[in-house]
Amino acid sequence: RGGGYGCGQVQTLHCEAARHPVGTEEWLNHEDALTMLVRDLAVQLEDMAGQLDEQVRVQSARVHDLASQVSGLHRQRTDLADAVVRLSARCDAAARGAGELVDQRLKEAAVDAR
């Protein structure tokens, strides 16, 4: 534990009070100890809440950053898919053009052979 009183100490105070009837002054000492314990625990809880808030802030920033990266990757994937479609169309057009050129050369060669 990070300093201060633990739950076992609260139980010990209760057990001691039950075993040994105490006078007013002694009971006030126990009451002061319990008050200090409660204050200490409240400070520890506030510290833990602050740490959790910071962790949530950091993790939220990471999630936002990752979401931005995913969005960027999705755009790149879309752009790449579009480029593949355009390249495929150009390849098809080039293949058709080459085929037409070969047909034309064959026809010319046939004419020349006559």
Side-chain angles (χ1 to χ4, degrees), residues 32-95:
D32 287 344
L34 284 172
T35 300
M36 288 175 55
L37 171 64
V38 168
R39 284 183 186 150
D40 191 35
L41 290 174
V43 168
Q44 289 180 31
L45 287 173
E46 286 180 32
D47 288 347
M48 290 172 66
Q51 291 171 5
L52 287 174
D53 285 345
E54 178 62 15
Q55 288 177 5
V56 166
R57 187 193 66 72
V58 168
Q59 294 300 331
S60 293
R62 286 182 181 164
V63 167
H64 179 73
D65 186 43
L66 288 172
S68 295
Q69 290 178 23
V70 167
S71 178
L73 289 172
H74 181 70
R75 274 192 308 276
Q76 288 177 0
R77 183 181 140 268
T78 301
D79 292 347
L80 184 58
D82 291 346
V84 167
V85 168
R86 287 191 306 273
L87 183 59
S88 178
R90 289 174 68 185
C91 288
D92 288 346

